[in-house]
Amino acid sequence: MEYSGKVIWITGASSGIGEALAEALAARGAHIILSGRRTAALQAVADRLPTESLVLPFETTDRDALPGIVERAIAWKGQVDGLVNNAGISQRALAVDSALEVYDRIIAVDLLAPIWLTQLLLPHMTARKAGMIVGISSVAGRAGVPLRTAYCAAKHGLIGYLDALRAETEVHYGLKVHTVLPGSIRTAVSANALAGDGSAFGRTDSAIANGMDPAECASRILAGIDAGEPEILVAEGIEDMIAKLRMSDPLKLFELVGQMGGQMAAKRDEELAG
């Protein structure tokens, strides 16, 4: 995709992968619509970009507000050429300790919200027979891993939606649909994740602390898009292996993550026993 002069809309754009993608795409000449909940943080990103940008804050789960938000996005330059559904929230709790509200919240933010936004923008893109839709899923969207049952459910669902959408829109309407599967990226995803009671986990786990730099992640995502890859895996080490095992040797994967989960569950029971 040639980005110069194109309008790319990014949710979750105030930090992490979203911020890095905004910077990388603006460096290629794209005009960026920056969305998220934190207006000041979005404006700080906008102030650094070398191209025109629109700060368009909103709550992704506010379904009633979304039609008006989409109208404003299209009206800014008369078109939206690309949508990057990046906003999301993770989880750090075993299923046995997770309240039902955790599932409601994570599935609303990570699955239903990007579906709603994409569905509202889809008529604009299909009418033009042009557009790019990118969904930031996760390695946890390809393989079920411990401490993330709600997150895995949502991210698996997002992959399914995007795969089906690609089948419907690529040939006739000319849309490009890309699913991204990041592993651990050095962002605030762990600190902002939900604990079992729905509160913020509040700390960065070691995998995230030692994860890939967001700028490197953004570079790999754009390289995958440039190469026309429908599914873009951005992971290293054991996370890269886990994602690939799900396709090549699922039984081996189930054994591996089962051992991991078993150790976590045993530790949990030991701590409860005092």
Side-chain angles (χ1 to χ4, degrees):
M1 182 175 181
E2 172 58 47
Y3 295 106
S4 182
K6 301 292 186 181
V7 177
I8 308 296
W9 188 2
I10 304 173
T11 68
S14 63
S15 63
I17 296 173
E19 177 185 12
L21 280 171
E23 293 174 346
L25 287 163
R28 294 193 180 196
H31 303 303
I32 310 295
I33 301 175
L34 301 157
S35 289
R37 293 182 298 172
R38 300 181 295 149
T39 303
L42 292 170
Q43 187 60 56
V45 175
D47 291 343
R48 295 196 304 273
L49 300 183
T51 55
E52 289 184 77
S53 58
L54 171 67
V55 172
L56 187 58
F58 68 98
E59 169 56 60
T60 59
T61 58
D62 187 352
R63 191 185 302 194
D64 292 338
L66 286 181
I69 293 293
V70 171
E71 288 179 5
R72 288 175 59 190
I74 294 171
W76 181 47
K77 295 286 186 181
Q79 65 192 58
V80 173
D81 299 289
L83 171 65
V84 180
N85 282 303
N86 171 68
I89 187 168
S90 191
Q91 178 187 18
R92 293 295 186 275
L94 294 171
V96 69
D97 296 321
S98 294
L100 292 177
E101 290 76 14
V102 169
Y103 292 86
D104 285 340
R105 177 64 179 162
I106 290 176
I107 289 173
V109 172
D110 291 4
L111 178 58
L112 294 178
I115 289 176
W116 294 337
L117 188 58
T118 302
Q119 288 294 125
L120 288 169
L121 189 59
L122 197 57
H124 171 71
M125 289 187 169
T126 55
R128 298 177 64 230
K129 291 202 169 183
M132 175 182 74
I133 296 169
V134 179
I136 307 297
S137 181
S138 171
V139 168
R142 181 59 71 202
V145 293
L147 302 180
R148 293 162 179 78
T149 48
Y151 186 68
C152 288
K155 293 300 189 178
H156 274 68
L158 184 61
I159 290 176
Y161 168 75
L162 292 171
D163 282 355
L165 184 67
R166 183 184 305 110
E168 294 177 1
T169 61
E170 187 171 56
V171 174
H172 180 67
Y173 294 110
L175 270 60
K176 298 299 181 183
V177 179
H178 303 276
T179 307
V180 181
L181 279 61
S184 292
I185 311 299
R186 204 158 57 245
T187 70
V189 64
S190 174
N192 293 333
L194 299 187
D197 62 359
S199 63
F201 184 62
R203 61 185 184 274
T204 298
D205 57 37
S206 61
I208 296 298
N210 295 296
M212 186 183 298
D213 184 81
E216 173 63 18
C217 177
S219 176
R220 294 193 189 190
I221 291 170
L222 294 187
I225 292 172
D226 291 345
E229 297 176 14
E231 187 167 278
I232 304 166
L233 176 61
V234 186
E236 298 176 325
I238 190 171
E239 294 172 336
D240 179 73
M241 181 184 72
I242 283 173
K244 292 174 179 176
L245 277 178
R246 186 63 179 90
M247 310 302 291
S248 65
D249 193 345
L251 292 180
K252 184 175 180 180
L253 170 66
F254 298 153
E255 180 182 358
L256 173 64
V257 296
Q259 291 172 351
M260 294 166 56
Q263 292 170 358
M264 293 176 185
K267 181 180 179 182
R268 176 252 188 199
D269 285 354
E270 288 172 5
E271 290 174 349
L272 285 177

